[in-house]
């Protein structure tokens, strides 16, 4: 029983991270009917932004509360800007083109990011930047080496949250770590904020109108370009937050991590019903539990096979996903 409870806790912790990434797929698909395959790689970029911010802060500052908040803020803001640029210059010109064109473009952006980040582009120092100075001495930031692209080698993500056993049941039969609780609370908080934004604000009402029919929404005076751009920015920020939580859990980061995590999150979104926000969360939690039970009771090498087998099984029974519905589409 204790072993089952431990796997349940681990599965929920992994599922909440998948859920944040899956929500990004769901939001973009709901608005544009586009599967943004570059979404996982945007998450990877956010992880490296957090990695760079953590090392710029230093070992002592990166573990403080404000340091962790700053790392998350920089990564999420940077990915929001990246999402805006991708939508503005890659997807917006193709909005009235066949969907296959946008899909191929999304795959191209994904490979450009994942393999572009495998280039090793750095400048040797010393490099100094000065900020301010009008009302006192300027703030100097010093780099012995400035790295623009990290290279293909995996890196160890800094320990911004020191692993601590918060809850122990019995003779270490069930152990709950602090990062599991913190990740779960952050993920649930972000998902609750997104739910409030979508269903309780004017922006959410406009986003739902655009998802129903963006041409009619534009005729009704809704700024569709702005709404779609903000949706991309919001989904990219969520991906960055999920990526940092994933890096805190697994510690090893690499340019190809977005391909694997993004694909799993896409599977979770399809299981729940692509385009359905609660469905994406439920699908991600189920996928996290399935993977954890497979690793715990079978073999870790079966993790991916069982995950995709679970997807096939769900689609055989419910072709539109658990919360989705199959709708006829004219082509």
């Amino acid at each position: 029983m204790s072993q089952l409870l431990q796997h349940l806790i681990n599965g929920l912790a992994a599922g909440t991270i998948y859920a944040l990434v899956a929500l990004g797929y769901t939001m973009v698909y709901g608005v544009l009917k586009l599967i943004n395959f570059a979404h996982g790689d945007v998450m990877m970029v956010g992880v490296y932004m957090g990695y760079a911010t953590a090392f710029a802060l230093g070992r002592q500052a990166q573990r403080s509360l404000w340091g962790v908040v700053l790392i998350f803020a920089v990564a999420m803001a940077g990915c929001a800007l990246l999402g805006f640029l991708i939508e503005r210059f890659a997807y917006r010109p193709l909005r009235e083109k066949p969907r296959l064109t946008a899909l191929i473009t999304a795959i191209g952006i994904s490979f450009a990011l994942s393999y572009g980040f495998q280039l090793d582009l750095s400048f040797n120092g010393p490099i100094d930047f000065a900020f301010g100075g009008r009302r006192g001495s300027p703030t100097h930031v010093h780099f012995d080496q400035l790295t623009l692209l990290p290279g293909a080698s995996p890196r160890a993500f800094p320990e911004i949250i020191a692993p601590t056993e918060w809850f122990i049941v019995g003779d270490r039969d069930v152990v709950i770590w602090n990062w599991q609780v913190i990740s779960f609370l952050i993920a649930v908080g972000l998902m609750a904020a997104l739910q409030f934004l979508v269903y309780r604000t004017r922006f959410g009402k406009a986003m739902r109108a655009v998802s129903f029919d963006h041409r009619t929404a534009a005729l009704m005076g809704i700024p569709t370009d702005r709404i779609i751009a903000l949706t991309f920015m919001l989904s990219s920020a969520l991906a960055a937050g999920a990526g940092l939580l994933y890096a805190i859990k697994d510690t090893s980061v690499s340019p190809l991590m977005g391909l694997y995590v993004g694909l799993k999150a896409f599977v979770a979104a399809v299981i729940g019903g692509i385009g359905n926000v609660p469905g994406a969360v439920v699908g991600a939690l189920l996928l996290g539990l399935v993977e954890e039970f497979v690793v715990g009771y079978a073999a870790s090498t079966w993790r991916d096979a069982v995950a995709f087998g679970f997807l096939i099984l769900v689609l055989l029974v419910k072709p539109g996903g658990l919360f989705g519905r199959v709708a006829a589409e004219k082509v």
Side-chain angles (χ1 to χ4, degrees):
M1 183 64 184
S2 59
Q3 188 178 9
L4 175 64
L5 183 58
Q6 184 68 69
H7 289 312
L8 185 64
I9 293 170
N10 295 340
L12 289 176
T16 51
I17 298 174
Y18 287 149
L20 286 177
V21 187
L23 285 173
Y25 282 107
T26 293
M27 291 172 62
V28 172
Y29 183 83
V31 171
L32 281 181
K33 299 298 182 288
L34 166 69
I35 299 173
N36 182 21
F37 278 117
H39 189 64
D41 300 283
V42 172
M43 182 207 78
M44 176 270 299
V45 174
V47 172
Y48 275 102
M49 286 183 178
Y51 176 91
T53 305
F55 271 93
L57 290 174
R59 184 178 180 83
Q60 194 69 25
Q62 67 188 214
R63 292 189 173 189
S64 63
L65 177 61
W66 72 267
V68 174
V69 171
L70 181 62
I71 290 169
F72 272 84
V74 170
M76 294 176 75
C79 279
L81 177 60
L82 177 61
F84 170 78
L85 294 175
I86 290 174
E87 190 279 329
R88 178 62 184 86
F89 296 104
Y91 294 144
R92 188 178 299 183
L94 305 176
R95 194 172 296 167
E96 303 301 328
K97 303 295 182 182
R99 291 180 186 173
L100 182 61
T101 305
L103 180 64
I104 295 173
T105 302
I107 296 173
I109 296 172
S110 172
F111 279 92
L113 289 175
S114 59
Y115 287 97
F117 264 66
Q118 295 191 50
L119 299 175
D120 190 356
L121 181 60
S122 59
F123 298 95
N124 293 323
I127 302 172
D128 289 289
F129 294 98
F131 303 93
R134 292 185 178 181
R135 297 185 178 181
S137 60
T139 301
H140 290 273
V141 178
H142 175 81
F143 295 95
D144 293 323
Q145 186 182 44
L146 182 62
T147 301
L148 297 181
L149 293 174
S153 300
R155 295 171 181 249
F157 195 81
E159 200 175 77
I160 61 176
I161 299 177
T164 306
E165 297 173 343
W166 272 8
F167 301 101
I168 301 175
V169 179
D171 189 16
R172 298 183 58 84
D173 295 324
V174 178
V175 178
I176 301 178
W177 294 82
N178 61 336
W179 64 263
Q180 290 178 321
V181 177
I182 294 171
S183 295
F184 183 80
L185 292 178
I186 291 175
V188 170
L190 290 174
M191 287 185 286
L194 176 63
Q195 189 78 356
F196 176 82
L197 182 69
V198 172
Y199 293 103
R200 294 290 186 269
T201 64
R202 294 185 63 185
F203 168 75
K205 185 182 292 185
M207 188 172 68
R208 284 182 281 130
V210 172
S211 69
F212 186 77
D213 190 329
H214 72 273
R215 295 182 181 87
T216 304
L219 293 175
M220 298 298 292
I222 296 175
T224 55
D225 287 343
R226 187 184 307 169
I227 296 298
I228 292 172
L230 288 173
T231 301
F232 267 85
M233 293 174 69
L234 183 59
S235 66
S236 299
L238 287 175
L244 290 177
L245 295 177
Y246 184 85
I248 291 171
K249 177 175 73 78
D250 281 7
T251 67
S252 178
V253 298
S254 68
L256 293 179
M257 65 179 294
L259 287 174
Y260 302 110
V261 180
L263 187 59
K264 292 289 185 65
F266 172 68
V267 169
V270 174
I271 289 173
I274 189 74
N276 187 290
V277 173
V281 176
V282 173
L285 293 177
L286 287 175
L287 182 62
L289 290 172
V290 168
E291 286 191 346
E292 179 61 28
F293 287 139
V294 168
V295 172
Y297 293 107
S300 59
T301 54
W302 293 5
R303 179 200 297 257
D304 296 338
V306 173
F308 286 99
F310 180 55
L311 168 66
I312 295 171
L313 179 62
V314 170
L315 294 183
L316 286 174
V317 179
K318 295 273 293 182
L322 296 176
F323 290 80
R325 53 180 179 164
V326 179
E329 182 179 350
K330 295 181 180 179
V331 294

